[in-house]
Amino acid sequence: MTKKIIIIKRYCMKTYNDCIPCLVRQALGAARFVTADEKIHQTVLKKSLAAMAVMDMNQSPPMMARCIQTVIAEVTGNKDPYKEIKKQCNAFCLDQLDGLRAMVERSEAPLETAIRLSIAGNIIDFGAFSAIDTETIFDTIDYAMANKVTGDMDNLLDRLVSANAILWIADNAGEIVFDRLVLEKMDMGRVVFVVRGGPALNDATLEDAVETGITDIVTTIGSGGVIPGTVLDMCSPVFLQAFDRADLIIAKGQGNYETLPHDDDRIFFLFKAKCPVVAESAGVNLNDMVVRKGLSDR
């Protein structure tokens, strides 16, 4: 008998007024990745603002980002404006991998250190920032190693050991190299690693998973959703089956926090709090390294 797939439709965040300027910046940033033509930039901005004017603010910010990427594709003909920057991020992070592994191995708590570094990798976010430089990445790694992680780290460490079926929902290209550090400390036969179903901001897709060697070490699937987050009723049956089967779900990044349900105690949200709206929702300070467990209302 086929197990029933449970789809929870209680999402965590709506779009707030403070989200709108960020979404406008995303639209302009993406347009600039495609072309230097300012007239095209203006067209993208005008059409994006028109789309935002009729948006249902009860929807999550990643849903609005999805509308913007549709506008950019229509205006510029480019469905993946972050393609080249994603490749650069993947290559840069792979160059750091041996050094990051060495940090984990010489640590007194290797799994916790790997998790800290995985959260640090969440800084590579072109949805939250217009640009990321190498100094910012290295500074974030230093911060992650020197400061307390806010939330449920001890609980997560216990669950990573005891869980039988783990679903790891990834976030950004480049960042997934940092995720490898945790995967390599686990029984990877228990893990299904999830990337986006298609290009969405600089989020990781199957192409990025192949480039970074993720597909060589762990079962990897696409979510089916082409959105910088995970909206369950937009995901594929393959993903939903894996979601339903998991007894532990790792959800990386703010986009997953903004879209996945918060009343599922299998979910641990791991992210760097880069946005004041997200930080307030999670009850943390801006720039905190966060492990936030879902509530147990299932």
Side-chain angles (χ1 to χ4, degrees):
M1 179 180 295
T2 302
K3 187 176 180 181
K4 182 180 178 181
I5 298 172
I6 300 171
I7 302 179
I8 303 173
K9 294 189 177 181
R10 294 184 291 276
Y11 304 131
C12 75
M13 285 188 65
K14 66 177 184 178
T15 297
Y16 293 86
N17 292 339
D18 287 343
C19 300
I20 300 303
C22 185
L23 290 164
V24 173
R25 179 194 52 73
Q26 282 182 23
L28 181 57
R32 284 174 171 166
F33 275 126
V34 176
T35 177
D37 189 330
E38 291 194 1
K39 290 184 178 180
I40 293 178
H41 299 167
Q42 291 172 7
T43 301
V44 166
L45 285 172
K46 289 178 181 180
K47 287 183 176 290
S48 296
L49 287 166
M52 281 185 259
V54 296
M55 176 189 175
D56 179 359
M57 297 286 281
N58 289 314
Q59 290 187 332
S60 65
M63 289 294 288
M64 189 64 242
R66 177 173 177 261
C67 293
I68 290 171
Q69 68 189 37
T70 299
V71 167
I72 292 166
E74 290 174 350
V75 173
T76 69
N78 189 327
K79 294 183 179 180
D80 192 4
Y82 296 86
K83 186 178 182 68
E84 290 307 313
I85 196 66
K86 288 193 294 181
K87 288 182 177 295
Q88 293 173 27
C89 289
N90 289 336
F92 170 78
C93 292
L94 284 170
D95 285 344
Q96 311 311 313
L97 185 55
D98 286 344
L100 295 169
R101 283 179 176 142
M103 292 176 66
V104 172
E105 293 307 319
R106 65 174 175 258
S107 167
E108 294 181 358
L111 182 56
E112 179 177 341
T113 297
I115 293 169
R116 286 173 175 268
L117 291 171
S118 173
I119 298 172
N122 187 234
I123 196 68
I124 306 170
D125 184 348
F126 286 86
F129 304 112
S130 298
I132 304 291
D133 57 30
T134 57
E135 182 178 359
T136 298
I137 296 172
F138 289 131
D139 286 347
T140 304
I141 291 171
D142 291 341
Y143 181 90
M145 299 307 297
N147 291 272
K148 181 181 177 180
V149 174
T150 301
D152 300 294
M153 175 66 86
D154 289 343
N155 197 343
L156 174 60
L157 290 168
D158 290 342
R159 294 285 293 274
L160 282 170
V161 173
S162 63
N164 294 311
I166 301 170
L167 191 70
W168 187 295
I169 307 177
D171 193 12
N172 301 306
E175 177 183 349
I176 58 176
V177 175
F178 287 72
D179 295 341
R180 282 189 61 162
L181 301 168
V182 185
L183 297 174
E184 290 171 357
K185 288 297 173 187
M186 297 163 55
D187 173 4
M188 287 181 278
R190 295 179 295 146
V191 181
V192 174
F193 192 86
V194 183
V195 292
R196 305 298 187 220
L201 295 177
N202 69 307
D203 290 15
T205 63
L206 282 172
E207 181 178 353
D208 300 298
V210 171
E211 283 184 5
T212 56
I214 294 289
T215 54
D216 295 332
I217 64 172
V218 69
T219 299
T220 307
I221 64 172
S223 68
V226 185
I227 179 174
T230 307
V231 176
L232 295 179
D233 58 10
M234 297 175 67
C235 291
S236 69
V238 170
F239 169 85
L240 293 173
Q241 288 169 4
F243 184 90
D244 189 53
R245 186 166 53 243
D247 56 0
L248 172 62
I249 299 168
I250 307 298
K252 287 292 303 292
Q254 292 187 154
N256 284 325
Y257 178 81
E258 289 170 325
T259 50
L260 281 165
H262 286 182
D263 55 358
D264 188 333
D265 66 353
R266 301 174 302 160
I267 301 179
F268 283 76
F269 297 98
L270 278 60
F271 59 91
K272 172 86 169 165
K274 305 175 290 284
C275 159
V277 175
V278 170
E280 182 176 355
S281 170
V284 302
N285 297 317
L286 190 64
N287 296 318
D288 275 1
M289 315 290 290
V290 181
V291 174
R292 188 182 189 279
K293 182 178 177 293
L295 302 175
S296 54
D297 292 339
R298 279 170 63 88

